[in-house]
Amino acid sequence: MAVLNKIRQRSLVLILVIALALFSFVIGDLFKNSDALTGASQDVIATVNGTDINRIDFQQKVKNYQDRSGGAQTSTQSMNAIYNQEVRKIVLQSEFEELGLSVEKDEMRDLLKTSFSSYPEFQDANGNFDVNRLNAFIANLKDLNGDTAPLGNFLVNYESWTSNEQTIAANAIQQTYYNLVKAGIGTTISEAEQDYLGDSKTVDISYVQVPYTTISDSLVAVSKSEITAYMKNHEDTYKTDATREVVYVEFKEEASKADEDKIQADLLALKADRTEYNDSSKNTETISGFDSTTDIEEFVNSNSAIKYNDAFLRAAQLPAVAKDTLMKLGVDSYYGPYKDGGFYKLSKIVATKQLPDSVKVRHILVPYVGGQRADASVTKTPEEAKATADSIFAQIKGGTKFLDLLDLSSDKVSNEQDGEIEFDYLAGMAPEFKAYAFDNKEGDIDVVQTSFGYHIIEVLEQKSFNKAIKVATVATKIEPSDQTLQDVFNVMSKFEIAAKDGDFNALAKERELTVKPITFKALDENIPGLGSQREVVRWAFNDDTEAGDYKNFAISNFGFIVAKVVEVREKGLMSTEDASITALPEIRKEKKAKLIREKITGTTVADIAKNQGQSPRTAAALTIKNTTLSGAGVEPKVVGAAFGLAEGATSKPIDGEKGVYVVQVTKINEATKLDNYGAIVNRLNAERRNTVQTKVFTALEKAAEIEDNRAKTVY
């Protein structure tokens, strides 16, 4: 009872302790997940002008995009494409709503008429668009409650129809918007005249250049603070996204020499017969080897990673590393094992034959529904096409001339050449067609089936007979053994453990590993030579990952890498070290220009050139549009200054790209004014309006409020 009384007396203290513990737990969890503090949500990919891009909807669109691309786009590429698409849609929609742009019911009907007037489902008996048929079709779709109805070559339901309507309406609003912007863009006569003068008015000048190279870099000191100040004055140039500098070493899962030796030994062992105990018959049976097998195709297909090719091959069709030797061998001779690509191969000559290098045939093609390149006019089933081809063949064998039956062929291209086709053995013909043409004799004729249909083929001519060989090749893929894989893993693990207390670069050097550097942005994915490696990028940008941290990553079809974060750079201005690459030369130029200006004396180009130990130069027929100065290169400031001077006037020193200049205008060649600038006005109008869509969206996107959470959500 005394204990209970003490507990009651201290109940307030206990409550406070428990409350503080709970508060600490919640706060700790909040700090672990900064999104809880900032209000960001894992379900929001981005927020654009107050509109969220939902993660689930976004991922579904990414999946659909990848399905349409047939796997040609990586996951990150697909996400970026859909992100850009969604941002564009929201940014433009914000502008449309602010302007009050919309598509009304009557306009929507006109848009649907434009889009679907050619569909028979919406036409009356005279082939004219019938809005009542359109209305009835839409009403029917609604009544189907999600089921589909045919429309042209498609099946649509009410949801897909309304989605299509929304797309049509959005495109119409967008076009209206851009038309409004374009309508406000024009060119004045004065602008057209200036454009004309930019090409036609010229000036001749004499000038002197005092190159920056006349002052040694060593005489111009630049401090870090000056680089920092320069960066701040040129922020747009030196702004940078958040980056992570990473170094890594590779541990490749490659076959060892012992692995390759075993693969070759196993291939050679296939030549001899072997005995094998049969559990079913309870007997020891002899399994035929490559030397004695009577079924070459079965033997190769049972023992090789590459299926048997029952065809005669010319030298050009054989592996480059083996063709010369193989072509010299006789029947039943072997070559190998030899390495070809990622395989070791053992090849045996099965047969030799003299075959033509080129042939001429003529044919009649009878296609069938579902055949390659069969168009809508093809109606025959494969069985019907075969019967037709057999009938044509019988007529030809019965004496009817081949040429008299060409109208029955669907190959209109060869029909123009009397049905004749001439090709060599490397031509991309249907394999069955090619095999018949080369493997038979001149004058032979028969029915041959290919993916295009049934052909009646007659061999007309065969030329340039040469040796061809039939080769049986057993191939084994060169892969590391289980022991090698374990060895690679052990070496990688030991390196990772050693890296905990050791120097990453020194450890790599001891093990003869190459340290490779790479710098990532938050949405990057590729490592050169390793492909898409988003997991590495995500780790590098994880809030818990700091400079000096390292980790191993399994790389599909490669092995492992051990990566280390060298430097963490947040969004903002570049470091002075990185910026100095471009900032240092510019700052030096500014300082050198000041030094050069201070020592320039004289009032004429000739005097200044003499005083500075330079030669005066001339440049004729300069135009304001062409900023290349003869003898000096591209110098826009210098050329621009020349056009601001009167004839005979001399400029003050001008800081150019390659030096300090003084210019004297020796002659101004005025252009003859045009009576009419209409053509130039029209050209400039067209040029400006053609760039409207890109420039307008770029401006809208720049002005939009965009919170991009991609790196923290699905990426």
Side-chain angles (χ1 to χ4, degrees):
M1 184 65 72
V3 171
L4 287 175
N5 285 332
K6 287 183 179 180
I7 290 175
R8 289 191 188 99
Q9 292 169 5
R10 298 178 182 176
S11 61
L12 180 59
V13 175
L14 284 172
I15 291 171
L16 287 173
V17 169
I18 293 171
L20 285 170
L22 287 172
F23 181 73
S24 174
F25 175 78
V26 172
I27 286 295
D29 192 52
L30 282 175
F31 277 106
K32 286 180 183 176
N33 182 5
S34 60
D35 289 340
L37 290 172
T38 61
S41 169
Q42 290 293 310
D43 289 327
V44 177
I45 300 298
T47 302
V48 183
N49 288 339
T51 300
D52 292 339
I53 299 177
N54 178 267
R55 180 173 61 86
I56 295 174
D57 180 55
F58 179 83
Q59 288 178 323
Q60 183 60 50
K61 289 177 179 177
V62 170
K63 180 182 181 302
N64 294 341
Y65 182 85
Q66 283 190 295
D67 291 344
R68 291 196 302 272
S69 72
Q73 301 285 315
T74 67
S75 176
T76 302
Q77 288 171 332
S78 300
M79 288 178 183
N80 288 339
I82 295 301
Y83 173 80
N84 291 335
Q85 176 182 302
E86 292 298 295
V87 168
R88 183 182 185 88
K89 183 173 72 174
I90 296 171
V91 166
L92 289 174
Q93 187 59 40
S94 301
E95 185 75 357
F96 300 158
E97 289 174 359
E98 188 172 341
L99 294 173
L101 296 179
S102 64
V103 173
E104 302 303 321
K105 184 175 181 180
D106 291 343
E107 185 182 358
M108 191 68 225
R109 287 291 185 233
D110 290 337
L111 291 170
L112 292 175
K113 177 180 178 180
T114 301
S115 300
F116 296 104
S117 60
S118 62
Y119 283 69
E121 291 88 344
F122 305 138
Q123 294 175 350
D124 60 20
N126 297 319
N128 298 318
F129 179 76
D130 187 343
V131 69
N132 294 320
R133 287 175 179 262
L134 174 67
N135 292 336
F137 180 82
I138 297 172
N140 180 55
L141 284 180
K142 197 170 185 178
D143 292 339
L144 289 175
N145 293 320
D147 289 339
T148 60
L151 178 61
N153 296 324
F154 306 98
L155 289 173
V156 299
N157 58 22
Y158 186 70
E159 182 180 355
S160 63
W161 175 268
T162 54
S163 176
N164 190 45
E165 279 192 354
Q166 291 169 5
T167 300
I168 292 172
N171 289 339
I173 293 173
Q174 183 171 303
Q175 192 57 53
T176 299
Y177 173 74
Y178 285 128
N179 287 341
L180 288 171
V181 176
K182 288 178 182 179
I185 292 175
T187 304
T188 65
I189 298 297
S190 178
E191 288 175 319
E193 183 178 9
Q194 289 304 312
D195 183 82
Y196 165 72
L197 293 176
D199 288 316
S200 305
K201 181 180 178 179
T202 66
V203 299
D204 301 339
I205 66 170
S206 64
Y207 71 93
V208 59
Q209 177 204 57
V210 184
Y212 294 128
T213 53
T214 58
I215 298 178
S216 173
D217 286 352
S218 62
L219 299 176
V220 182
V222 178
S223 66
K224 280 191 174 182
S225 61
E226 287 177 313
I227 294 175
T228 302
Y230 185 87
M231 289 164 55
K232 289 180 179 178
N233 290 333
H234 301 83
E235 279 195 5
D236 287 345
T237 302
Y238 293 99
K239 276 182 181 177
T240 182
D241 294 326
T243 60
R244 300 293 184 268
E245 187 178 338
V246 174
V247 293
Y248 65 96
V249 290
E250 301 173 345
F251 299 86
K252 296 182 182 179
E253 294 179 329
E254 298 177 313
S256 66
K257 184 179 183 303
D259 295 335
E260 293 195 20
D261 290 344
K262 185 176 185 307
I263 291 170
Q264 294 179 74
D266 290 345
L267 282 172
L268 289 171
L270 290 173
K271 294 171 66 175
D273 296 348
R274 71 180 191 277
T275 57
E276 187 175 282
Y277 182 76
N278 189 317
D279 288 330
S280 299
S281 64
K282 307 300 181 183
N283 292 317
T284 299
E285 299 178 351
T286 299
I287 308 299
S288 296
F290 213 172
D291 287 337
S292 61
T293 183
T294 56
D295 190 340
I296 286 288
E297 183 172 359
E298 170 62 24
F299 181 86
V300 170
N301 290 344
S302 298
N303 293 283
S304 176
I306 301 173
K307 297 299 181 184
Y308 178 68
N309 180 14
D310 188 27
F312 283 93
L313 305 175
R314 282 80 168 173
Q317 296 171 291
L318 297 169
V321 296
K323 66 179 181 180
D324 292 339
T325 303
L326 290 173
M327 290 303 294
K328 295 175 184 176
L329 297 177
V331 175
D332 291 334
S333 297
Y334 286 97
Y335 178 59
Y338 59 92
K339 185 182 288 189
D340 181 27
F343 296 86
Y344 269 110
K345 296 180 178 180
L346 178 64
S347 294
K348 179 180 181 180
I349 307 302
V350 176
T352 64
K353 189 176 183 179
Q354 292 291 319
L355 287 177
D357 288 340
S358 65
V359 296
K360 181 192 287 185
V361 302
R362 59 185 173 196
H363 81 131
I364 292 171
L365 171 60
V366 183
Y368 51 76
V369 174
Q372 192 171 344
R373 297 183 188 170
D375 58 31
S377 64
V378 176
T379 58
K380 286 184 172 63
T381 64
E383 294 76 19
E384 291 170 339
K386 175 69 164 61
T388 300
D390 289 341
S391 173
I392 295 171
F393 175 66
Q395 292 181 61
I396 294 173
K397 297 295 284 185
T400 303
K401 291 183 178 180
F402 202 106
L403 297 180
D404 293 340
L405 299 171
L406 277 180
D407 287 344
L408 300 175
S409 176
S410 72
D411 188 352
K412 304 305 179 185
V413 175
S414 67
N415 286 357
E416 294 178 0
Q417 305 296 325
D418 294 334
E420 295 180 5
I421 304 175
E422 189 168 0
F423 56 95
D424 63 30
Y425 66 91
L426 292 177
M429 306 292 288
E432 303 88 352
F433 192 104
K434 184 190 292 187
Y436 185 84
F438 282 100
D439 294 345
N440 292 281
K441 301 186 295 295
E442 290 183 6
D444 285 352
I445 182 171
D446 208 344
V447 175
V448 177
Q449 183 183 9
T450 72
S451 60
F452 295 91
Y454 286 91
H455 307 255
I456 301 87
I457 303 174
E458 181 180 5
V459 181
L460 299 176
E461 185 180 9
Q462 297 175 325
K463 295 185 291 187
S464 301
F465 281 78
N466 286 294
K467 181 182 179 181
I469 60 175
K470 186 176 288 188
V471 187
T473 296
V474 178
T476 301
K477 188 172 179 60
I478 302 172
E479 294 180 318
S481 63
D482 289 343
Q483 182 59 52
T484 297
L485 294 176
Q486 186 61 49
D487 291 344
V488 172
F489 180 80
N490 290 339
V491 170
M492 182 276 297
S493 298
K494 288 178 181 178
F495 178 89
E496 188 178 19
I497 292 169
K500 181 178 181 181
D501 300 313
D503 180 88
F504 193 92
N505 287 15
L507 290 168
K509 187 175 181 180
E510 288 173 13
R511 292 159 173 78
E512 297 183 346
L513 298 170
T514 301
V515 177
K516 298 184 177 182
I518 188 167
T519 300
F520 293 121
K521 292 182 180 179
L523 298 178
D524 286 346
E525 63 170 336
N526 285 319
I527 296 178
L530 300 179
S532 177
Q533 301 298 333
R534 272 298 299 171
E535 186 181 356
V536 180
V537 182
R538 278 196 296 268
W539 165 75
F541 277 88
N542 191 297
D543 291 340
D544 296 331
T545 303
E546 299 175 348
D549 289 354
Y550 60 92
K551 185 179 180 182
N552 82 73
F553 296 89
I555 308 297
S556 178
N557 299 318
F558 179 85
F560 301 89
I561 65 170
V562 175
K564 177 184 177 180
V565 177
V566 176
E567 186 174 358
V568 173
R569 299 172 188 159
E570 300 305 336
K571 183 177 181 180
L573 290 177
M574 287 183 187
S575 65
T576 53
E577 289 77 12
D578 290 340
S580 65
I581 297 171
T582 55
L584 193 58
E586 294 301 318
I587 297 171
R588 282 187 178 139
K589 277 168 57 174
E590 289 179 1
K591 289 193 166 190
K592 288 181 179 183
K594 182 180 179 182
L595 293 173
I596 291 170
R597 288 197 307 272
E598 288 174 350
K599 67 177 184 176
I600 285 178
T601 60
T603 57
T604 67
V605 167
D607 290 343
I608 294 170
K610 183 178 180 180
N611 293 337
Q612 299 302 315
Q614 303 295 325
S615 299
R617 305 177 190 176
T618 60
L622 295 179
T623 67
I624 194 68
K625 285 187 178 181
N626 184 355
T627 58
T628 300
L629 186 62
S630 175
V634 178
E635 290 287 1
K637 291 182 180 178
V638 179
V639 174
F643 275 87
L645 296 173
E647 188 170 310
T650 301
S651 72
K652 293 180 179 179
I654 305 161
D655 298 349
E657 295 297 319
K658 297 180 177 63
V660 175
Y661 297 78
V662 174
V663 174
Q664 181 184 26
V665 175
T666 56
K667 186 178 180 182
I668 296 176
N669 306 296
E670 296 288 355
T672 303
K673 291 192 175 183
L674 301 179
D675 294 332
N676 189 308
Y677 292 94
I680 299 176
V681 168
N682 292 336
R683 174 175 60 81
L684 292 176
N685 281 342
E687 290 174 0
R688 293 173 180 181
R689 289 168 183 169
N690 285 339
T691 62
V692 161
Q693 292 189 203
T694 301
K695 289 185 176 180
V696 167
F697 177 73
T698 300
L700 291 175
E701 185 180 31
K702 189 175 181 179
E705 295 180 5
I706 300 176
E707 182 183 343
D708 186 353
N709 302 320
R710 284 179 291 171
K712 297 180 180 180
T713 52
V714 295
Y715 282 55

